[in-house]
Amino acid sequence: MDFIRRAWLFTKAKLSRTILLIVTFTAILVFVLSGLVINSAANASIANAEKAAGATVSLSVNFQNMIKKAQSSASSSSTSTTGGNHFAITMPTIAETTAQKIANLSGVKSYSFLLNNVSADADSGITKVSDTSTSTSNSDTQGQGRGGFGGGMPGGSQGDFSITGTNALSTDASFTGSYEITSGRAIDSSDAGTNNVVIESTLASQNNLKVGSTFTLKNTSDSTKTYKMTVVGIFTTKSSNSSEQSIQYMNTIYSALSLANTIKGTSGQISSATYNMSDPGNADSFVTEATKLVNNDEFQIAKDDSAYQTAKTTLGNVAGFAKNIVILVAIAGAIILGLIVMLMVRERRFEIGVLMSLGESRIKVIGQFFAELIMVMIVSVALASAGGNVVGNVVGQQLLSQETTQTSSTPSGFPGGNGGGQMQRPAGNGGGFVGRAGSAFGFGNSAQAKEIEKLNIKTSPTEILMLLGIAILIAALAVGLASIGILRLNPKQVLTN
C-alpha cells in the first residue's frame, strides 16, 4: 500500500493543483447532486399527487343518447305536424339509492349527489337579484355553458331562483373550489327532510337576510304550493373577478336533496353524482362495477383523472430532465477530469519512469493516481453535499415553472359529457365535471395544484450515497482514460529522453 502513502504526500505537496481538482470535481458533483435531488423530489411529488388528486368518477347524463332520442322523437312527430323539427330535452333523473350503491363500492374517498334543474319563485321575504338591483351588470349569458339556472336548459322551467339539492355541500368540489361559506354552515346530511338553505351573500344583503332568517318561495308550476325556507349558511365566490359574479350564481339556492325533490315533484332522485377515488389506479375497475349498477342508457359513468395525469406529466418531464442532467454531467465530468489527469501524467512522466524502473508495477502507478483523485473526491463530495440543495432548488423550480406554464397553456380537452353537474352549476370557475375533477387538485381554477407549485428538494442519505457512487465512477473513468498513456510507457525510454 506504499502507493497510497505516495498519493497522500503528492496531494499535500502540490496544494495548488489539488485545489484546482477539488474545485473542478466539486462543480461537477454539485450538478450531479442537483439532478439526483430534483429527480427524487419530482418522483416523490408524483406519489403525493396521486394520493392528493385521486381520480373523479362521474355519474351524469348521457347527452349523446338524450339528443339522439330527442331527434328521433322530433323526426317522428314532424310527419304529423307542420311546426318544424323543433325538440326539447327533458333532463332525466336517477334514483338516489342507485347512486348510493355506487358510493358503497370500495375505493371511494368521498362523494357528492346533486339535483339540478329545479326552480322556484319569490313569495315573501325575498326578491331575486337582478341587473337593476345590483351594481354587477353582467348578462345572464355569462354563466351559460357552466351551468346555473338561467342557462336555459331545454325542458326545464325557469323561475326566480335556481334550487340545487345536495347531500353534502362541503364535499362538492365544484362548490368548494369556487365558493366559500362566509356565515353559518354548509348543507349536510342532517338537513334531510328540512327546509334549510344556503344562499349567496348579495342575495342575502339585498333582502336583509342572515343566518336564522326565514323567507317563503312558491312553486314555479303551482303557485299554491309554498315553502318556508330557513337560512343556515351564506356563501360568496372566491374569485375577485367581477366577470365571475353573474346574476345566475347570486340567485342560486342550495338545499337538501329532499327539499329539491319536493319542489320538483319527485322523490329520492338526483341529476348527477361525483365520486372521488382514493387511488387513480382503481378508477377503471370502479367504472366497470358502477356501470353494472346503473342500467340506464340516459346516464353514463366516466372517470376523470386529468388532474393527476397533468401533474404526473409535468413532474415526469422535470424528473426526466433531471435524470438527463445526471447522465450528461457525469459523462462530461469524466471527460474533463480525464483530460486534466492526462495533462498531469504528461508532466509526471519522469516520476513514472523512475517508479517503474525501481520495479513498481503499472497497476500500482495507476492506483496512485486513482488514490489521489479519490482523496480529492472525498472533499468534493462534502462540498457538493452542502451546495447541492441550493443549486437544485434554483434549477428545479425553474424547470417546474416552465413545465407548469406549458401545461397550463395547453388546452386540456376535457370531454363535455357531464350532464347535470356541468350544465346546471352556477356561474363560476369550478362548475361541472371539469370543475369537480380539477378542484380536487387545484385544476379548473387559475391556480395550479399545490402539489406541483413547489418541489420539496432536500438532500437525503440516499442521494449522498448515489453521489458517492457516481463520483467514484467518474474518478475511475478519468483515471482509466489517462492510464492508456501510462500503460504504453517504457521506463528506459522515459529516463533516456
Side-chain angles (χ1 to χ4, degrees), residues 58-61 91-103 111-118 165-167 256-258 260-261 264 266-275 296 298-299 420-421:
S58 173
L59 167 63
S60 56
V61 175
M91 292 299 295
T93 58
I94 195 167
E96 183 181 351
T97 53
T98 300
Q100 187 61 53
K101 288 179 181 178
I102 298 175
Y111 60 91
S112 170
F113 299 157
L114 295 176
L115 178 60
N116 299 300
N117 204 39
V118 181
T166 178
N167 64 319
L257 287 169
S258 56
N261 270 287
K264 189 178 179 70
T266 56
S267 177
Q269 299 294 303
I270 65 169
S271 301
S272 64
T274 303
Y275 306 93
N296 187 334
E298 293 180 337
F299 283 81

Short mmCIF file of all heavy atoms in Angstrom, two decimals, residues 58-61 91-103 111-118 165-167 256-258 260-261 264 266-275 296 298-299 420-421:
data_model
loop_
_atom_site.label_atom_id
_atom_site.label_comp_id
_atom_site.label_asym_id
_atom_site.label_seq_id
_atom_site.Cartn_x
_atom_site.Cartn_y
_atom_site.Cartn_z
N SER A 58 -67.68 10.24 -12.53
CA SER A 58 -68.93 10.99 -12.61
C SER A 58 -70.06 10.11 -13.10
O SER A 58 -69.93 9.38 -14.08
CB SER A 58 -68.75 12.18 -13.56
OG SER A 58 -69.98 12.82 -13.79
N LEU A 59 -71.17 10.18 -12.39
CA LEU A 59 -72.44 9.62 -12.85
C LEU A 59 -73.24 10.80 -13.38
O LEU A 59 -73.67 11.66 -12.61
CB LEU A 59 -73.18 8.93 -11.70
CG LEU A 59 -74.65 8.55 -11.95
CD1 LEU A 59 -74.77 7.54 -13.07
CD2 LEU A 59 -75.29 8.03 -10.67
N SER A 60 -73.41 10.86 -14.70
CA SER A 60 -74.01 12.06 -15.29
C SER A 60 -74.87 11.69 -16.48
O SER A 60 -74.87 10.55 -16.95
CB SER A 60 -72.91 13.03 -15.72
OG SER A 60 -72.01 12.40 -16.61
N VAL A 61 -75.59 12.68 -16.95
CA VAL A 61 -76.49 12.48 -18.09
C VAL A 61 -75.68 12.18 -19.35
O VAL A 61 -74.68 12.83 -19.63
CB VAL A 61 -77.36 13.74 -18.31
CG1 VAL A 61 -78.21 13.58 -19.57
CG2 VAL A 61 -78.24 13.98 -17.10
N MET A 91 -84.53 16.94 -18.80
CA MET A 91 -83.41 16.38 -18.06
C MET A 91 -83.87 15.19 -17.21
O MET A 91 -84.78 15.33 -16.40
CB MET A 91 -82.79 17.45 -17.16
CG MET A 91 -82.09 18.56 -17.92
SD MET A 91 -80.74 17.93 -18.92
CE MET A 91 -79.65 17.34 -17.64
N PRO A 92 -83.26 14.03 -17.40
CA PRO A 92 -83.66 12.86 -16.62
C PRO A 92 -83.05 12.88 -15.22
O PRO A 92 -82.12 13.63 -14.93
CB PRO A 92 -83.08 11.70 -17.44
CG PRO A 92 -81.84 12.29 -18.03
CD PRO A 92 -82.18 13.73 -18.33
N THR A 93 -83.59 12.08 -14.35
CA THR A 93 -83.03 11.89 -13.01
C THR A 93 -82.83 10.40 -12.77
O THR A 93 -83.38 9.57 -13.50
CB THR A 93 -83.96 12.47 -11.92
OG1 THR A 93 -85.25 11.83 -12.03
CG2 THR A 93 -84.13 13.97 -12.08
N ILE A 94 -82.04 10.11 -11.77
CA ILE A 94 -81.78 8.71 -11.42
C ILE A 94 -81.98 8.55 -9.92
O ILE A 94 -81.82 9.51 -9.15
CB ILE A 94 -80.35 8.30 -11.84
CG1 ILE A 94 -80.20 6.78 -11.82
CG2 ILE A 94 -79.30 8.98 -10.97
CD1 ILE A 94 -78.95 6.29 -12.52
N ALA A 95 -82.33 7.36 -9.51
CA ALA A 95 -82.63 7.13 -8.09
C ALA A 95 -81.41 7.35 -7.22
O ALA A 95 -80.30 6.90 -7.54
CB ALA A 95 -83.17 5.72 -7.91
N GLU A 96 -81.63 8.04 -6.11
CA GLU A 96 -80.53 8.27 -5.16
C GLU A 96 -80.03 6.95 -4.58
O GLU A 96 -78.84 6.81 -4.27
CB GLU A 96 -81.01 9.19 -4.04
CG GLU A 96 -79.93 9.56 -3.04
CD GLU A 96 -80.44 10.45 -1.93
OE1 GLU A 96 -81.60 10.92 -2.02
OE2 GLU A 96 -79.68 10.66 -0.95
N THR A 97 -80.91 5.97 -4.47
CA THR A 97 -80.49 4.66 -3.94
C THR A 97 -79.47 4.00 -4.86
O THR A 97 -78.55 3.33 -4.41
CB THR A 97 -81.71 3.75 -3.77
OG1 THR A 97 -82.44 3.69 -5.02
CG2 THR A 97 -82.64 4.27 -2.68
N THR A 98 -79.64 4.19 -6.17
CA THR A 98 -78.68 3.64 -7.13
C THR A 98 -77.33 4.31 -6.96
O THR A 98 -76.28 3.65 -6.96
CB THR A 98 -79.19 3.82 -8.57
OG1 THR A 98 -80.44 3.14 -8.73
CG2 THR A 98 -78.18 3.27 -9.57
N ALA A 99 -77.36 5.64 -6.84
CA ALA A 99 -76.11 6.38 -6.65
C ALA A 99 -75.43 5.98 -5.35
O ALA A 99 -74.20 5.93 -5.27
CB ALA A 99 -76.39 7.88 -6.67
N GLN A 100 -76.23 5.69 -4.33
CA GLN A 100 -75.66 5.30 -3.05
C GLN A 100 -75.02 3.92 -3.12
O GLN A 100 -73.99 3.67 -2.47
CB GLN A 100 -76.75 5.31 -1.97
CG GLN A 100 -76.23 5.10 -0.55
CD GLN A 100 -75.27 6.18 -0.11
OE1 GLN A 100 -75.56 7.36 -0.19
NE2 GLN A 100 -74.08 5.77 0.34
N LYS A 101 -75.60 3.02 -3.90
CA LYS A 101 -74.99 1.70 -4.09
C LYS A 101 -73.60 1.83 -4.71
O LYS A 101 -72.67 1.11 -4.33
CB LYS A 101 -75.87 0.83 -4.98
CG LYS A 101 -77.17 0.34 -4.33
CD LYS A 101 -77.99 -0.49 -5.31
CE LYS A 101 -79.29 -0.96 -4.67
NZ LYS A 101 -80.11 -1.74 -5.64
N ILE A 102 -73.47 2.77 -5.65
CA ILE A 102 -72.17 3.01 -6.26
C ILE A 102 -71.20 3.58 -5.23
O ILE A 102 -70.03 3.21 -5.18
CB ILE A 102 -72.31 3.97 -7.46
CG1 ILE A 102 -73.20 3.34 -8.53
CG2 ILE A 102 -70.94 4.34 -8.04
CD1 ILE A 102 -73.51 4.26 -9.69
N ALA A 103 -71.71 4.48 -4.39
CA ALA A 103 -70.86 5.09 -3.36
C ALA A 103 -70.36 4.06 -2.36
O ALA A 103 -69.30 4.25 -1.75
CB ALA A 103 -71.63 6.19 -2.63
N TYR A 111 -67.99 11.47 -1.80
CA TYR A 111 -68.92 11.55 -2.92
C TYR A 111 -69.90 12.70 -2.71
O TYR A 111 -70.07 13.20 -1.59
CB TYR A 111 -69.69 10.23 -3.09
CG TYR A 111 -70.52 9.80 -1.91
CD1 TYR A 111 -71.86 10.19 -1.80
CD2 TYR A 111 -69.98 9.02 -0.88
CE1 TYR A 111 -72.63 9.79 -0.72
CE2 TYR A 111 -70.73 8.63 0.20
CZ TYR A 111 -72.06 9.01 0.28
OH TYR A 111 -72.81 8.64 1.36
N SER A 112 -70.52 13.10 -3.81
CA SER A 112 -71.45 14.22 -3.78
C SER A 112 -72.59 13.94 -4.73
O SER A 112 -72.37 13.55 -5.88
CB SER A 112 -70.72 15.51 -4.17
OG SER A 112 -71.63 16.56 -4.36
N PHE A 113 -73.84 14.12 -4.25
CA PHE A 113 -75.03 13.97 -5.09
C PHE A 113 -75.64 15.35 -5.33
O PHE A 113 -75.67 16.19 -4.43
CB PHE A 113 -76.09 13.08 -4.42
CG PHE A 113 -75.62 11.68 -4.14
CD1 PHE A 113 -76.24 10.93 -3.14
CD2 PHE A 113 -74.59 11.11 -4.85
CE1 PHE A 113 -75.82 9.64 -2.86
CE2 PHE A 113 -74.17 9.82 -4.59
CZ PHE A 113 -74.79 9.08 -3.59
N LEU A 114 -76.13 15.56 -6.55
CA LEU A 114 -76.75 16.84 -6.88
C LEU A 114 -78.07 16.61 -7.60
O LEU A 114 -78.20 15.67 -8.38
CB LEU A 114 -75.84 17.68 -7.78
CG LEU A 114 -74.51 18.17 -7.21
CD1 LEU A 114 -73.73 18.89 -8.30
CD2 LEU A 114 -74.71 19.07 -6.02
N LEU A 115 -79.04 17.48 -7.32
CA LEU A 115 -80.28 17.52 -8.08
C LEU A 115 -80.44 18.94 -8.60
O LEU A 115 -80.60 19.88 -7.83
CB LEU A 115 -81.49 17.13 -7.21
CG LEU A 115 -82.85 17.20 -7.92
CD1 LEU A 115 -82.88 16.24 -9.12
CD2 LEU A 115 -83.99 16.89 -6.95
N ASN A 116 -80.37 19.09 -9.93
CA ASN A 116 -80.43 20.39 -10.57
C ASN A 116 -81.72 20.55 -11.37
O ASN A 116 -82.60 19.71 -11.31
CB ASN A 116 -79.22 20.57 -11.51
CG ASN A 116 -77.91 20.50 -10.75
OD1 ASN A 116 -77.66 21.27 -9.85
ND2 ASN A 116 -77.08 19.53 -11.14
N ASN A 117 -81.77 21.64 -12.12
CA ASN A 117 -82.92 21.92 -12.97
C ASN A 117 -84.21 22.05 -12.16
O ASN A 117 -85.28 21.63 -12.58
CB ASN A 117 -83.07 20.85 -14.06
CG ASN A 117 -83.82 21.37 -15.27
OD1 ASN A 117 -83.62 22.51 -15.67
ND2 ASN A 117 -84.66 20.53 -15.85
N VAL A 118 -84.07 22.61 -10.96
CA VAL A 118 -85.21 22.86 -10.08
C VAL A 118 -85.32 24.37 -9.90
O VAL A 118 -84.32 25.05 -9.68
CB VAL A 118 -85.03 22.18 -8.71
CG1 VAL A 118 -86.25 22.42 -7.82
CG2 VAL A 118 -84.77 20.69 -8.88
N GLY A 165 -80.15 20.87 -5.10
CA GLY A 165 -80.17 19.96 -3.96
C GLY A 165 -78.87 19.20 -3.84
O GLY A 165 -78.28 18.80 -4.84
N THR A 166 -78.41 19.00 -2.63
CA THR A 166 -77.16 18.27 -2.40
C THR A 166 -77.22 17.50 -1.09
O THR A 166 -77.94 17.89 -0.16
CB THR A 166 -75.96 19.25 -2.36
OG1 THR A 166 -74.76 18.53 -2.09
CG2 THR A 166 -76.15 20.32 -1.30
N ASN A 167 -76.48 16.42 -1.04
CA ASN A 167 -76.42 15.65 0.20
C ASN A 167 -75.36 16.19 1.15
O ASN A 167 -75.47 16.05 2.37
CB ASN A 167 -76.13 14.18 -0.11
CG ASN A 167 -74.75 14.00 -0.74
OD1 ASN A 167 -74.33 14.79 -1.58
ND2 ASN A 167 -74.03 12.97 -0.34
N ALA A 256 -81.22 20.75 0.80
CA ALA A 256 -81.07 19.29 0.89
C ALA A 256 -81.74 18.66 -0.33
O ALA A 256 -82.62 19.25 -0.97
CB ALA A 256 -81.71 18.79 2.17
N LEU A 257 -81.33 17.45 -0.67
CA LEU A 257 -81.93 16.75 -1.80
C LEU A 257 -83.43 16.56 -1.62
O LEU A 257 -84.20 16.65 -2.57
CB LEU A 257 -81.26 15.38 -1.97
CG LEU A 257 -79.84 15.37 -2.54
CD1 LEU A 257 -79.23 13.98 -2.41
CD2 LEU A 257 -79.83 15.82 -4.00
N SER A 258 -83.84 16.34 -0.39
CA SER A 258 -85.26 16.09 -0.12
C SER A 258 -86.11 17.30 -0.48
O SER A 258 -87.19 17.16 -1.08
CB SER A 258 -85.46 15.74 1.36
OG SER A 258 -84.94 16.77 2.20
N ALA A 260 -85.28 19.78 -2.64
CA ALA A 260 -85.25 19.96 -4.09
C ALA A 260 -86.18 18.98 -4.78
O ALA A 260 -86.86 19.32 -5.75
CB ALA A 260 -83.81 19.79 -4.59
N ASN A 261 -86.24 17.74 -4.28
CA ASN A 261 -87.16 16.76 -4.85
C ASN A 261 -88.61 17.16 -4.64
O ASN A 261 -89.45 17.00 -5.54
CB ASN A 261 -86.90 15.39 -4.22
CG ASN A 261 -85.87 14.56 -4.98
OD1 ASN A 261 -86.15 14.05 -6.06
ND2 ASN A 261 -84.67 14.46 -4.43
N LYS A 264 -89.48 19.91 -7.04
CA LYS A 264 -89.51 19.38 -8.41
C LYS A 264 -90.68 18.42 -8.63
O LYS A 264 -91.08 18.16 -9.76
CB LYS A 264 -88.18 18.65 -8.69
CG LYS A 264 -87.97 18.24 -10.15
CD LYS A 264 -86.61 17.58 -10.31
CE LYS A 264 -86.38 17.14 -11.77
NZ LYS A 264 -86.20 18.30 -12.67
N THR A 266 -90.63 15.24 -7.38
CA THR A 266 -90.07 13.89 -7.47
C THR A 266 -89.74 13.40 -6.05
O THR A 266 -89.92 14.12 -5.07
CB THR A 266 -88.80 13.86 -8.34
OG1 THR A 266 -87.86 14.80 -7.81
CG2 THR A 266 -89.13 14.24 -9.77
N SER A 267 -89.22 12.20 -5.97
CA SER A 267 -88.85 11.65 -4.67
C SER A 267 -87.60 10.78 -4.81
O SER A 267 -87.57 9.87 -5.66
CB SER A 267 -90.00 10.80 -4.11
OG SER A 267 -89.63 10.19 -2.88
N GLY A 268 -86.59 11.08 -4.01
CA GLY A 268 -85.38 10.28 -4.00
C GLY A 268 -84.62 10.26 -5.31
O GLY A 268 -84.03 9.24 -5.67
N GLN A 269 -84.63 11.37 -6.03
CA GLN A 269 -83.96 11.44 -7.33
C GLN A 269 -82.77 12.39 -7.28
O GLN A 269 -82.73 13.32 -6.47
CB GLN A 269 -84.94 11.91 -8.41
CG GLN A 269 -86.14 11.00 -8.61
CD GLN A 269 -85.74 9.64 -9.14
OE1 GLN A 269 -85.12 9.54 -10.20
NE2 GLN A 269 -86.11 8.59 -8.42
N ILE A 270 -81.80 12.17 -8.17
CA ILE A 270 -80.67 13.08 -8.32
C ILE A 270 -80.39 13.28 -9.81
O ILE A 270 -80.85 12.49 -10.64
CB ILE A 270 -79.39 12.56 -7.62
CG1 ILE A 270 -78.90 11.27 -8.30
CG2 ILE A 270 -79.61 12.35 -6.13
CD1 ILE A 270 -77.51 10.83 -7.85
N SER A 271 -79.65 14.35 -10.12
CA SER A 271 -79.29 14.62 -11.51
C SER A 271 -77.90 14.10 -11.84
O SER A 271 -77.62 13.72 -12.98
CB SER A 271 -79.33 16.13 -11.79
OG SER A 271 -80.60 16.66 -11.54
N SER A 272 -77.01 14.14 -10.86
CA SER A 272 -75.64 13.71 -11.11
C SER A 272 -74.98 13.35 -9.79
O SER A 272 -75.46 13.73 -8.71
CB SER A 272 -74.83 14.82 -11.81
OG SER A 272 -74.72 15.96 -10.97
N ALA A 273 -73.89 12.62 -9.89
CA ALA A 273 -73.12 12.24 -8.71
C ALA A 273 -71.64 12.25 -9.06
O ALA A 273 -71.27 11.95 -10.20
CB ALA A 273 -73.53 10.85 -8.21
N THR A 274 -70.84 12.59 -8.10
CA THR A 274 -69.40 12.59 -8.30
C THR A 274 -68.75 11.78 -7.19
O THR A 274 -69.05 11.99 -6.01
CB THR A 274 -68.83 14.03 -8.27
OG1 THR A 274 -69.49 14.80 -9.27
CG2 THR A 274 -67.34 14.03 -8.54
N TYR A 275 -67.87 10.87 -7.57
CA TYR A 275 -67.18 10.00 -6.62
C TYR A 275 -65.68 10.28 -6.71
O TYR A 275 -65.08 10.14 -7.77
CB TYR A 275 -67.46 8.53 -6.93
CG TYR A 275 -68.94 8.20 -7.00
CD1 TYR A 275 -69.62 8.24 -8.22
CD2 TYR A 275 -69.66 7.89 -5.86
CE1 TYR A 275 -70.96 7.96 -8.29
CE2 TYR A 275 -71.02 7.60 -5.92
CZ TYR A 275 -71.67 7.64 -7.14
OH TYR A 275 -73.00 7.37 -7.21
N ASN A 296 -79.08 2.21 -17.16
CA ASN A 296 -79.93 3.28 -17.66
C ASN A 296 -79.15 4.01 -18.75
O ASN A 296 -78.14 4.65 -18.49
CB ASN A 296 -80.28 4.25 -16.52
CG ASN A 296 -81.31 5.29 -16.94
OD1 ASN A 296 -81.42 5.62 -18.11
ND2 ASN A 296 -82.06 5.81 -15.98
N GLU A 298 -79.74 6.58 -20.25
CA GLU A 298 -79.78 8.04 -20.17
C GLU A 298 -78.62 8.59 -19.33
O GLU A 298 -78.37 9.79 -19.32
CB GLU A 298 -81.10 8.51 -19.57
CG GLU A 298 -82.30 8.24 -20.47
CD GLU A 298 -83.60 8.70 -19.86
OE1 GLU A 298 -83.64 8.83 -18.60
OE2 GLU A 298 -84.55 8.97 -20.60
N PHE A 299 -77.93 7.71 -18.62
CA PHE A 299 -76.81 8.11 -17.78
C PHE A 299 -75.55 7.36 -18.17
O PHE A 299 -75.61 6.30 -18.79
CB PHE A 299 -77.13 7.84 -16.30
CG PHE A 299 -78.06 8.86 -15.69
CD1 PHE A 299 -79.42 8.77 -15.88
CD2 PHE A 299 -77.55 9.91 -14.95
CE1 PHE A 299 -80.28 9.71 -15.33
CE2 PHE A 299 -78.39 10.85 -14.39
CZ PHE A 299 -79.76 10.75 -14.58
N GLY A 420 -75.81 16.74 -15.51
CA GLY A 420 -76.36 17.62 -14.53
C GLY A 420 -75.39 18.58 -13.94
O GLY A 420 -75.65 19.75 -13.78
N GLY A 421 -74.18 18.08 -13.59
CA GLY A 421 -73.24 18.95 -12.92
C GLY A 421 -72.76 20.07 -13.79
O GLY A 421 -72.75 21.21 -13.40
#
